[in-house]
Structure formats: C-alpha cells, structure tokens
Amino acid sequence: MAILLSGCVPAEQRSSGRVYPLPRHQPHDGLAVVTRPGGKGLHIWIETDTSRPGVCRPRWLPDAARLQGGNGPEPTSFGLAPRQEFFLAQERGPVRLALRRQAEGLCRERAPASVFVWEPPPRTAAQHRPPMLPLLEEPELLSDPRAIRRAEKRLLGLPLTPEDLEEPEESQPGGS
C-alpha cells in the first residue's frame, strides 16, 4: 500500500534518499544525507577520538548542519538541523554503512598507525554521550594575567611598572 501511495507523489515532493561523502575540510570528514524533498537534508560532520593510544574511533556529533541542494552538483550546508533528524537518519542502514566507511577513512588519514575501532552512532538522545573535555578553569589552561599585561604593554610601547615584573606567589595547600 505504501508503495502505491508513494508512486502517487510527484518526484520533486519526495526525498531522493541519497547518501554520499561531502567533505568539510578534508576527505572523509563529512557525509550528505538527503532526507527531504528538493535535496534538503543533513550534512553530518565526522570527527575522530584518538584519546587512547593506538586506537582511533569515531566521535559522534549529533548537531548536523542543514543540507541544501543535495541532489544537485553544488550542495551547500548552513545552520543546524534538529538533533532528532540526525537520530532518525541513523535508522537507515545505508547511512550507518556510509558513516562507518567515512569514519574509517578519516582515522586512516589522521592516525595511520592506530587501529580503527567502530562505535555505531547514537540512535537516540539518551544514547549520545558527549566527550568529557578538560574544564577551561584548570590552572594549566589559564594564562598568567601579569604575563598578558606585560605583553600588551610591550606591544603598545608602554613602560613596565614594578607591579608588572612581580612574579605570582605560590599558593599554599590548605589556604595559607
């Protein structure tokens, strides 16, 4: 019955269902998935996780860009598509297969000495586990404000004051 009904819908009002590589910055780092009529759909960005030595695996970003012109010679992407659309696209076998091929190719490019480990993309928001990244407040990630002030003054040709040259005191454990 569904086949008969879909045959009654004009081609320009149906999704072509195309799935093909669409690089962002380098080969294998993007995938176009046409999910809507008129060549609209998702531009899925593919990233790698090499945090474990000798292992490269995909890092899933469910915030895909909106694809436009996906059936034509010059597809473009912009903005963000709803996450739910990313998860719905994962229901299609050809999408998952293409994502695996692209992720494996990206790992070969970025970490050729590493072993590729496939982790399937999340199919629901509950399955998505964002990576744990270091906090920006960690002391080793912050620049010394005095060093920044000295550099600014040097660039502006301003004289340094004795306060600019003082080194910060080491903080004592226990708050003393």
Side-chain angles (χ1 to χ4, degrees):
M1 183 70 160
I3 295 172
L4 289 174
L5 289 177
S6 67
C8 297
V9 177
E12 64 273 358
Q13 294 179 4
R14 282 186 301 216
S15 164
S16 68
R18 288 184 66 197
V19 178
Y20 58 92
L22 183 60
R24 291 182 310 146
H25 303 293
Q26 70 181 93
H28 309 292
D29 70 350
L31 186 73
V33 180
V34 179
T35 58
R36 295 178 171 190
K40 294 180 180 172
L42 302 171
H43 185 188
I44 298 174
W45 297 348
I46 302 169
E47 278 299 326
T48 57
D49 178 2
T50 56
S51 59
R52 288 182 30 208
V55 175
C56 182
R57 59 187 177 170
R59 175 177 290 152
W60 298 114
L61 307 172
D63 297 316
R66 171 63 56 216
L67 176 70
Q68 190 159 337
N71 293 330
E74 295 183 25
T76 58
S77 61
F78 61 94
L80 285 177
R83 278 189 170 187
Q84 188 57 33
E85 195 170 338
F86 172 85
F87 297 127
L88 286 173
Q90 303 313 311
E91 298 299 320
R92 295 177 45 205
V95 172
R96 291 191 312 274
L97 180 62
L99 283 171
R100 181 179 181 137
R101 287 181 180 150
Q102 291 297 101
E104 189 170 2
L106 189 59
C107 275
R108 274 195 312 269
E109 289 231 354
R110 290 187 176 172
S114 296
V115 174
F116 175 70
V117 175
W118 171 244
E119 291 185 7
R123 291 188 174 185
T124 65
Q127 289 178 345
H128 174 61
R129 302 276 183 248
M132 296 300 294
L133 301 173
L135 298 174
L136 293 177
E137 291 83 20
E138 291 182 14
E140 64 270 9
L141 296 177
L142 298 176
S143 299
D144 177 22
R146 289 181 182 92
I148 293 172
R149 190 175 324 118
R150 280 192 300 263
E152 287 174 346
K153 286 187 172 185
R154 285 185 186 124
L155 285 171
L156 295 172
L158 299 175
L160 295 176
T161 62
E163 294 85 32
D164 295 332
L165 302 174
E166 288 179 9
E167 291 300 318
E169 294 181 21
E170 293 291 323
S171 61
Q172 299 293 323
S176 0

